[in-house]
Amino acid sequence: MNPPLTDQLREFLQSSAALPVGLAIAALAVICLIAILVILLRPKKPEVDAEQDQRLRELNARLDAMGAWLQNAHGQLAQTVNTRLDAVSQNLGESMKTTAKHTSDHLQALHSRLAVIDSAQKNITELSSTVTSLQNVLSNKQSRGAFGQGQLEAIIMDVLPKGAYEFQYSLSNRTKPDCVVFMPDSGPLVIDAKFPLEALTALRAAESDEERKFAAARVRTDITKHVSDIAGKYLLPGETQDIALMFIPSESVYADLHEQFDDLVQKAQRARVMIVSPTLMVMAIQVIKQVRKDAEMREAADQIRTEVGMMMKDVTLLSERVRKLQSHFNQANADIDSILISTGKIEKRAGKIEGLDFDADTPASADVIAAPVRKIAGE
């Protein structure tokens, strides 16, 4: 390098005018460096492949077709789903209406049944109180006797007329049975009510053999005593009937006696005491009523014969009056026929007069009444 030139350059660089020129040169160098780097770092342009480009175009076409198909399928699926949802909503609404109606009907039926159950519960409560009251009544011996006598009186009063029976009738031995029924042509039939409930209740409630044995013995004792009392007090020869009725006002007690103590029933029959239940009592009273009616008819046979004779006389008189009335009717019919003949003649002559149809050759009859001659004024 030439030293004078170097010195001049150094002086120029150190001077103030050389600062902008240096900055410009530095900037130009940086721009050139960046351009070189851009050229070096730029990717090379790939070589064009026609087959691959065709495949890409076909793939894009398929993708476009698939996208269109997917869009169409999505629309159809949405429409189908909406249709199905509408149908399901409609069916669900109808099903809910039907279910609501059925539920309402079932609730109404349930309310009706609950009302019936409430009524039945009320009846059961009332029946329970009635049974409790009846149990309290039957637990007392005197109340039980009054209950049996009251039932006996009700049965007899419903069937027999007044005067055919009497309650607490006094016999010649000063005993008073619960009831007597007066029989025709013989003494009264004695009926006495007995209610051996305590012994049978104890027998039903017995749990051991010993308790059952004791209760059965008590039943036998009570029934035997009742039969003996009736046979000894109320069967009076020549005054009462040969048999008496022992009325038990309970079908279950009567059934237990016949089922478990048949020997006692037969023993009572041999003693001429018939044990009867309410049903048998009604039948016996019905038979007695028919017997009394037959006897009353036999007693009234003469009166019936007299009444029949008088009725026949009245029938004969009625027949004579009917015949007289018939003769009057026949005479009236004959008179009516004569009147009809006369009216026929009158109608015929009136027709001739109206039609001026006179027969000049027909002579005047003497029976014809001459018509009155009216004079004209001034003659």
Side-chain angles (χ1 to χ4, degrees), residues 18-257:
L19 180 59
V21 177
L23 291 174
I25 294 171
L28 182 60
V30 171
I31 291 172
C32 292
L33 181 60
I34 292 173
I36 294 170
L37 290 174
V38 169
I39 293 171
L40 293 175
L41 295 176
R42 186 178 61 182
K44 296 180 179 181
K45 185 178 181 181
E47 297 179 358
V48 177
D49 189 355
E51 184 178 355
Q52 186 176 0
D53 186 56
Q54 180 66 25
R55 290 179 179 177
L56 287 175
R57 285 196 297 270
E58 292 178 357
L59 180 60
N60 290 330
R62 291 181 180 179
L63 289 175
D64 293 338
M66 185 175 294
W69 179 82
L70 287 175
Q71 186 177 3
N72 188 16
H74 181 268
Q76 292 180 357
L77 179 61
Q79 184 179 1
T80 304
V81 169
N82 291 331
T83 304
R84 297 284 179 87
L85 286 176
D86 293 339
V88 169
S89 299
Q90 184 178 1
N91 293 334
L92 182 61
E94 294 178 356
S95 177
M96 291 182 66
K97 290 181 181 178
T98 304
T99 304
K101 185 177 182 303
H102 290 170
T103 303
S104 178
D105 294 340
H106 291 165
L107 287 176
Q108 291 179 359
L110 181 61
H111 287 312
S112 300
R113 292 180 181 179
L114 288 176
V116 173
I117 292 174
D118 292 339
S119 178
Q121 182 67 29
K122 182 179 179 181
N123 294 334
I124 290 173
T125 303
E126 294 177 355
L127 180 61
S128 177
S129 61
T130 303
V131 170
T132 303
S133 301
L134 181 60
Q135 185 177 3
N136 295 331
V137 170
L138 297 180
S139 61
N140 189 348
K141 187 175 182 180
Q142 293 181 352
S143 299
R144 191 166 63 246
F147 173 78
Q149 183 176 354
Q151 190 172 1
L152 174 63
E153 292 178 359
I155 293 174
I156 292 177
M157 292 173 65
D158 287 341
V159 179
L160 294 179
K162 292 183 179 181
Y165 57 86
E166 184 175 344
F167 299 110
Q168 301 298 323
Y169 179 77
S170 297
L171 298 177
S172 61
N173 58 358
R174 298 182 180 180
T175 58
K176 293 183 178 181
D178 292 334
C179 179
V180 295
V181 178
F182 300 109
M183 303 296 293
D185 301 330
S186 60
L189 175 66
V190 176
I191 304 174
D192 200 60
K194 301 295 181 182
F195 205 164
L197 182 62
E198 294 179 353
L200 285 173
T201 302
L203 179 62
R204 294 170 182 172
E207 298 179 355
S208 61
D209 295 338
E210 184 176 358
E211 291 178 355
R212 281 192 291 271
K213 183 177 180 181
F214 178 77
R218 184 179 176 184
V219 171
R220 291 181 179 276
T221 301
D222 291 347
I223 296 299
T224 302
K225 183 178 183 303
H226 292 325
V227 172
S228 299
D229 290 343
I230 293 174
K233 294 180 181 179
Y234 307 137
L235 293 180
L236 303 179
E239 182 177 353
T240 62
Q241 294 288 327
D242 295 336
I243 63 172
L245 301 181
M246 187 175 81
F247 174 67
I248 297 179
S250 174
E251 296 288 347
S252 61
V253 173
Y254 177 79
D256 289 340
L257 287 177

Side-chain angles (χ1 to χ4, degrees), residues 274-301:
M274 304 292 115
I275 301 176
V276 294
S277 65
T279 303
L280 294 177
M281 189 70 202
V282 172
M283 296 176 62
I285 296 301
Q286 290 287 351
V287 173
I288 292 173
K289 179 181 179 181
Q290 189 62 38
V291 170
R292 288 180 54 85
K293 185 176 181 181
D294 293 341
E296 291 174 357
M297 290 185 66
R298 287 195 299 271
E299 291 177 357

